[in-house]
Amino acid sequence: DTPRKHAHYSFMTAHEERPLAASLMAFAPNAPALTPADVRCCDCGKLTRADQTCRGMCAACTAANTDLARNIPTSLEVIMCKTCGKWERAQNQWVQAELESAELLALCARKLRGTKGMNIVDVKWVWTEPHSRRLKLRLTLGSEVEGGIALQQDVLVEFVVRTRNCEACNKVAAKDTWQAKVQLRQRAEHPRTLLALEQQLLRHKLVGDVLEVKRSPDGLDCHFRRRQDAQRFASRITALAPCKTKSSSSLVAANAKTGTSNVRHVFLVEVAPLCRDDLVLLPKGASSIGPLALVEKVGGSLHLVDPVTSKSVEMTAEAYWRNPFSAIASRRQLSTFVVLDCEIDRPTAQSRQKQPGQEAATAAAAAG
């Protein structure tokens, strides 16, 4: 009898590991499906389905007794450069961002720890005083616990703003740290084109890599930390005004043992000495109009207009510097007239004019 009992005991032990529902379905395939029973919550006593409980508690008690933010620090630090206002994203990596902007929000969210296994449902700013040196984020965390219960919790994280200088500002504070320089020049009676070019550079935010700007008698000297930044800045200028560029380099110091050297690069960008409303005398064969023309617009190319026939042409920067010319009269030397009447002059068979012209009655405008 003992061996039979032992065999029967082994049979029951092997099947106890299987779920009860699976065992019943094996012996009775046509039996109706089992529904979970209702149990009392061990905390509040509310009737809840057994498969919707977590550690014997209902969903409300589970949310009240579960802290999703237990591993998330509520106070962190973020570093800002006190000179240029950039924020440190990683070691030796600084980015420009405004307060309460999306870029700064992403930078602060990357510094959060303890969110492994949870979903960040929402992140938003909490307003703080601008001079308080504090940034606050409200996080909405989501997670799924036992029994398929989805939980959400709001967490308030405070960032303390620490200030120090970035590497670029430290180099600017020291002397002779630039590696490349762009000399922007316009040799004209009044550099109105150069002044308009400065406004376009500021409007399009193209001066972010400039370390220092010094004014010279004929223009500006822009210093850069890298040669690539100076080259990119010079190419942007040539797209905004008719320019020609020259480059040079000089050796400052060299180390024969390590094979390294300190080389400085200089880019000379010369803007055409023409401004809007200048009167120019075109060289022979330079354009299809002329020889006298007015400068209508100065951009990546020159736009000239014939004051007699009102015909407009566009001259590229390459064509201008191939045969350059200067202004014979500026806006200060010109007079303003008011058109009183205008009549169309039709060409006749005896006249050599191929296109209809215009006769205008004008009067000089009053000064002041």
Side-chain angles (χ1 to χ4, degrees):
D1 295 338
T2 304
R4 292 182 180 179
K5 292 182 179 180
H6 182 71
H8 179 70
Y9 177 76
S10 301
F11 172 77
M12 294 298 295
T13 305
H15 285 73
E16 283 179 355
E17 298 179 357
R18 295 193 303 173
L20 179 61
S23 301
L24 293 177
M25 291 297 295
F27 289 102
N30 299 325
L34 298 178
T35 58
D38 293 340
V39 296
R40 296 271 181 186
C41 174
C42 64
D43 193 6
C44 65
K46 180 181 177 181
L47 281 175
T48 309
R49 289 180 54 176
D51 60 344
Q52 296 180 358
T53 59
C54 177
R55 298 186 300 273
M57 293 184 292
C58 62
C61 295
T62 302
N65 292 276
T66 304
D67 187 12
L68 299 179
R70 58 184 179 275
N71 297 325
I72 298 178
T74 57
S75 181
L76 296 171
E77 290 186 358
V78 62
I79 300 176
M80 182 185 69
C81 178
K82 60 183 178 182
T83 303
C84 63
K86 292 183 178 180
W87 301 84
E88 187 182 28
R89 181 172 57 185
Q91 187 176 6
N92 297 331
Q93 292 184 8
W94 298 79
V95 294
Q96 189 73 38
E98 300 292 335
L99 287 175
E100 297 189 0
S101 62
E103 293 81 7
L104 185 57
L105 183 67
L107 187 146
C108 294
R110 289 193 187 98
K111 295 182 178 294
L112 295 173
R113 297 294 180 267
T115 59
K116 186 177 180 180
M118 291 184 291
N119 299 325
I120 300 179
V121 180
D122 188 20
V123 184
K124 57 184 178 181
W125 289 109
V126 177
W127 184 85
T128 56
E129 291 287 345
H131 61 275
S132 63
R133 298 289 184 180
R134 297 293 186 273
L135 301 175
K136 291 184 179 181
L137 291 181
R138 186 179 298 278
L139 306 177
T140 302
L141 302 176
S143 180
E144 185 173 344
V145 295
E146 299 177 8
I149 301 176
L151 301 180
Q152 283 192 3
Q153 183 178 349
D154 290 342
V155 185
L156 188 64
V157 182
E158 183 181 67
F159 290 86
V160 181
V161 180
R162 306 295 184 188
T163 58
R164 68 178 180 89
N165 277 343
C166 61
E167 286 75 10
C169 294
N170 284 333
K171 290 185 177 182
V172 172
K175 294 182 179 179
D176 300 331
T177 57
W178 56 273
Q179 295 295 325
K181 178 171 66 173
V182 176
Q183 295 178 338
L184 187 58
R185 300 289 186 267
Q186 186 186 23
R187 298 175 176 89
E189 180 183 356
H190 190 283
R192 287 187 287 115
T193 302
L194 187 60
L195 297 178
L197 184 61
E198 292 180 30
Q199 298 299 321
Q200 291 185 17
L201 292 174
L202 294 175
R203 188 183 307 114
H204 297 292
K205 298 180 180 180
L206 302 179
V207 293
D209 299 327
V210 180
L211 295 179
E212 186 182 9
V213 179
K214 292 184 179 180
R215 188 169 294 276
S216 64
D218 294 332
L220 301 173
D221 290 341
C222 302
H223 298 86
F224 296 86
R225 187 164 53 93
R226 299 186 306 168
R227 175 175 173 268
Q228 294 83 353
D229 297 337
Q231 278 185 326
R232 184 165 55 251
F233 183 75
S235 63
R236 289 171 178 174
I237 294 177
T238 55
L240 298 176
C243 309
K244 66 176 181 178
T245 306
K246 294 181 180 179
S247 61
S248 62
S249 59
S250 60
L251 180 64
V252 178
N255 191 339
K257 293 183 178 181
T258 60
T260 58
S261 59
N262 185 10
V263 181
R264 287 184 173 178
H265 306 272
V266 178
F267 298 89
L268 174 61
V269 181
E270 184 176 355
V271 184
L274 298 176
C275 301
R276 186 180 176 184
D277 298 335
D278 284 353
L279 182 65
V280 297
L281 180 62
L282 299 176
K284 186 177 180 180
S287 179
S288 59
I289 63 172
L292 291 178
L294 282 172
V295 180
E296 183 181 14
K297 180 182 177 182
V298 179
S301 58
L302 292 173
H303 296 261
L304 307 175
V305 59
D306 193 337
V308 178
T309 62
S310 300
K311 184 180 179 181
S312 300
V313 294
E314 182 179 357
M315 181 179 292
T316 62
E318 292 79 6
Y320 171 79
W321 290 110
R322 207 167 32 242
N323 195 2
F325 52 88
S326 58
I328 60 176
S330 62
R331 179 188 291 181
R332 296 178 179 179
Q333 299 169 334
L334 300 180
S335 300
T336 303
F337 288 84
V338 179
V339 178
L340 301 178
D341 192 13
C342 186
E343 296 181 359
I344 299 178
D345 186 12
R346 300 289 181 181
T348 60
Q350 293 80 11
S351 64
R352 297 181 180 179
Q353 188 177 2
K354 297 182 180 180
Q355 296 180 353
Q358 294 181 352
E359 293 183 357
T362 61

